[in-house]
Coordinates of all heavy atoms in Angstrom, one line a residue:
A1 N -110.8 -19.2 -16.2 CA -109.5 -18.6 -15.8 C -109.5 -17.3 -16.5 O -110.3 -16.8 -17.3 CB -108.4 -19.4 -16.3
L2 N -108.6 -16.4 -16.0 CA -108.5 -15.1 -16.6 C -108.3 -15.1 -18.0 O -108.8 -14.2 -18.7 CB -107.3 -14.4 -15.9 CG -107.3 -14.0 -14.4 CD1 -106.1 -13.4 -13.8 CD2 -108.6 -13.1 -14.0
S3 N -107.6 -16.1 -18.6 CA -107.4 -16.2 -20.0 C -108.7 -16.2 -20.9 O -108.7 -15.9 -22.1 CB -106.4 -17.3 -20.3 OG -107.0 -18.5 -19.9
N4 N -109.8 -16.8 -20.2 CA -111.0 -16.8 -20.9 C -111.5 -15.4 -21.4 O -112.2 -15.4 -22.4 CB -112.1 -17.3 -19.9 CG -111.9 -18.8 -19.5 OD1 -112.6 -19.2 -18.7 ND2 -110.8 -19.4 -20.0
W5 N -111.0 -14.3 -20.7 CA -111.5 -13.0 -21.0 C -110.5 -12.2 -21.8 O -110.6 -10.9 -21.8 CB -112.0 -12.3 -19.8 CG -113.0 -13.0 -19.0 CD1 -112.9 -13.8 -17.9 CD2 -114.5 -13.0 -19.3 NE1 -114.2 -14.2 -17.4 CE2 -115.2 -13.8 -18.3 CE3 -115.2 -12.4 -20.3 CZ2 -116.5 -13.9 -18.4 CZ3 -116.6 -12.5 -20.4 CH2 -117.3 -13.3 -19.4
D6 N -109.4 -12.8 -22.2 CA -108.3 -12.0 -22.8 C -108.7 -11.0 -23.8 O -108.3 -9.8 -23.7 CB -107.4 -13.0 -23.5 CG -106.3 -13.5 -22.5 OD1 -106.3 -13.1 -21.4 OD2 -105.5 -14.3 -23.0
E7 N -109.5 -11.3 -24.8 CA -110.0 -10.5 -25.9 C -110.9 -9.3 -25.4 O -111.0 -8.3 -25.9 CB -110.6 -11.3 -27.0 CG -109.6 -12.2 -27.7 CD -108.5 -11.6 -28.3 OE1 -108.7 -10.3 -28.8 OE2 -107.4 -12.1 -28.4
V8 N -111.8 -9.7 -24.3 CA -112.6 -8.8 -23.7 C -111.8 -7.6 -23.0 O -112.1 -6.5 -23.1 CB -113.6 -9.4 -22.8 CG1 -114.5 -8.3 -22.0 CG2 -114.4 -10.4 -23.5
I9 N -110.8 -8.1 -22.3 CA -109.9 -7.1 -21.6 C -109.2 -6.2 -22.5 O -109.2 -5.0 -22.4 CB -108.8 -7.9 -20.7 CG1 -109.5 -8.7 -19.7 CG2 -107.9 -6.8 -20.0 CD1 -108.5 -9.7 -18.9
T10 N -108.6 -6.8 -23.6 CA -108.0 -6.1 -24.6 C -108.8 -5.1 -25.3 O -108.4 -3.9 -25.5 CB -107.4 -7.0 -25.8 OG1 -106.4 -8.0 -25.2 CG2 -106.6 -6.2 -26.8
T11 N -110.1 -5.4 -25.6 CA -110.9 -4.5 -26.4 C -111.5 -3.5 -25.5 O -111.5 -2.3 -25.9 CB -112.0 -5.4 -27.1 OG1 -111.5 -6.3 -28.0 CG2 -113.0 -4.5 -27.9
F12 N -112.0 -3.9 -24.4 CA -112.9 -3.0 -23.6 C -112.1 -2.1 -22.5 O -112.6 -1.1 -22.1 CB -114.0 -3.8 -23.0 CG -115.0 -4.1 -24.0 CD1 -114.9 -5.5 -24.6 CD2 -116.1 -3.3 -24.4 CE1 -115.8 -5.9 -25.5 CE2 -117.0 -3.8 -25.3 CZ -116.8 -5.0 -25.9
S13 N -110.9 -2.5 -22.2 CA -110.2 -1.8 -21.2 C -109.8 -0.4 -21.8 O -109.2 0.4 -21.0 CB -109.0 -2.5 -20.7 OG -108.1 -2.8 -21.8
K14 N -109.9 -0.2 -23.0 CA -109.6 1.1 -23.6 C -110.7 2.2 -23.4 O -110.4 3.3 -23.3 CB -109.5 1.0 -25.2 CG -108.5 0.1 -25.7 CD -108.5 -0.3 -27.1 CE -107.5 -1.3 -27.5 NZ -107.7 -1.8 -29.0
R15 N -111.9 1.7 -23.1 CA -112.9 2.6 -22.8 C -113.7 2.4 -21.5 O -114.6 3.1 -21.0 CB -113.9 2.6 -23.9 CG -113.4 3.3 -25.3 CD -114.3 3.0 -26.3 NE -114.3 1.6 -26.8 CZ -115.4 0.9 -27.0 NH1 -116.6 1.4 -26.7 NH2 -115.3 -0.4 -27.5
Y16 N -113.5 1.2 -20.9 CA -114.2 0.8 -19.6 C -113.1 0.4 -18.6 O -112.0 0.1 -18.9 CB -115.1 -0.4 -19.9 CG -116.3 0.0 -20.9 CD1 -116.1 -0.2 -22.4 CD2 -117.5 0.4 -20.5 CE1 -117.1 0.1 -23.2 CE2 -118.4 0.8 -21.4 CZ -118.3 0.6 -22.7 OH -119.4 0.9 -23.6
R17 N -113.6 0.3 -17.4 CA -112.8 -0.3 -16.3 C -113.2 -1.8 -16.2 O -114.3 -2.1 -15.8 CB -113.1 0.5 -15.0 CG -112.2 0.0 -13.8 CD -112.5 0.7 -12.5 NE -111.8 0.1 -11.4 CZ -112.0 0.5 -10.1 NH1 -113.0 1.3 -9.9 NH2 -111.3 -0.1 -9.2
V18 N -112.3 -2.6 -16.6 CA -112.6 -4.0 -16.6 C -112.0 -4.7 -15.4 O -110.8 -4.7 -15.1 CB -112.0 -4.7 -17.9 CG1 -112.3 -6.2 -17.9 CG2 -112.6 -4.0 -19.1
I19 N -112.8 -5.4 -14.6 CA -112.4 -6.0 -13.3 C -112.8 -7.4 -13.3 O -113.9 -7.8 -13.6 CB -113.0 -5.2 -12.1 CG1 -112.7 -3.8 -12.2 CG2 -112.5 -5.9 -10.8 CD1 -113.4 -2.9 -11.0
I20 N -111.8 -8.2 -13.0 CA -112.1 -9.7 -12.8 C -111.5 -10.2 -11.5 O -110.3 -10.3 -11.4 CB -111.3 -10.4 -14.1 CG1 -111.6 -9.8 -15.4 CG2 -111.9 -12.0 -14.1 CD1 -110.8 -10.4 -16.5
P21 N -112.4 -10.6 -10.7 CA -111.9 -11.3 -9.4 C -111.6 -12.7 -9.7 O -112.3 -13.4 -10.5 CB -113.0 -11.2 -8.5 CG -114.3 -11.1 -9.3 CD -113.8 -10.4 -10.7
M22 N -110.5 -13.2 -9.0 CA -110.2 -14.7 -9.3 C -110.8 -15.4 -8.2 O -110.5 -15.4 -7.0 CB -108.6 -14.8 -9.2 CG -107.9 -14.1 -10.3 SD -106.2 -14.2 -10.3 CE -105.9 -16.0 -10.5
M23 N -111.8 -16.1 -8.5 CA -112.7 -16.8 -7.5 C -112.0 -18.0 -6.9 O -111.3 -18.8 -7.7 CB -114.0 -17.1 -8.1 CG -115.0 -16.0 -8.4 SD -116.6 -16.4 -8.9 CE -116.3 -16.9 -10.6
P24 N -112.0 -18.2 -5.7 CA -111.4 -19.2 -5.0 C -112.0 -20.6 -5.1 O -112.2 -21.3 -4.1 CB -111.3 -18.7 -3.5 CG -112.6 -18.1 -3.4 CD -112.9 -17.4 -4.7
I25 N -112.4 -21.0 -6.3 CA -113.1 -22.2 -6.5 C -112.4 -23.4 -6.0 O -113.0 -24.4 -5.3 CB -113.3 -22.4 -8.0 CG1 -114.4 -21.4 -8.5 CG2 -113.8 -23.8 -8.3 CD1 -114.6 -21.4 -10.0
Y26 N -111.0 -23.4 -6.1 CA -110.3 -24.6 -5.7 C -109.7 -24.5 -4.3 O -109.0 -25.5 -3.9 CB -109.3 -25.0 -6.7 CG -109.8 -24.9 -8.1 CD1 -109.2 -24.0 -9.0 CD2 -110.9 -25.7 -8.6 CE1 -109.8 -23.9 -10.3 CE2 -111.3 -25.7 -9.8 CZ -110.8 -24.7 -10.7 OH -111.4 -24.7 -12.0
E27 N -109.8 -23.3 -3.7 CA -109.1 -23.1 -2.5 C -110.1 -23.0 -1.3 O -109.7 -22.9 -0.2 CB -108.4 -21.7 -2.4 CG -107.2 -21.7 -3.4 CD -107.5 -21.5 -4.8 OE1 -108.6 -20.8 -5.0 OE2 -106.8 -22.0 -5.7
M28 N -111.5 -23.0 -1.7 CA -112.5 -22.9 -0.6 C -112.4 -24.2 0.3 O -112.3 -25.3 -0.1 CB -113.8 -22.7 -1.2 CG -114.0 -21.5 -2.0 SD -115.6 -21.3 -2.8 CE -116.6 -20.9 -1.2

């Protein structure tokens, strides 16, 4: 889930463009 990457987003979005697509694992 997006929450898996919380600390990565917090740390790296200050210097990088952090993009996370929500994959349709359960909707396909």
Side-chain angles (χ1 to χ4, degrees):
L2 293 177
S3 60
N4 295 176
W5 299 104
D6 275 355
E7 296 299 325
V8 174
I9 299 171
T10 300
T11 299
F12 290 93
S13 61
K14 299 169 186 175
R15 289 171 289 130
Y16 296 88
R17 182 182 175 192
V18 180
I19 303 175
I20 314 175
M22 298 178 67
M23 289 189 283
I25 289 173
Y26 314 117
E27 294 81 30
M28 298 178 74

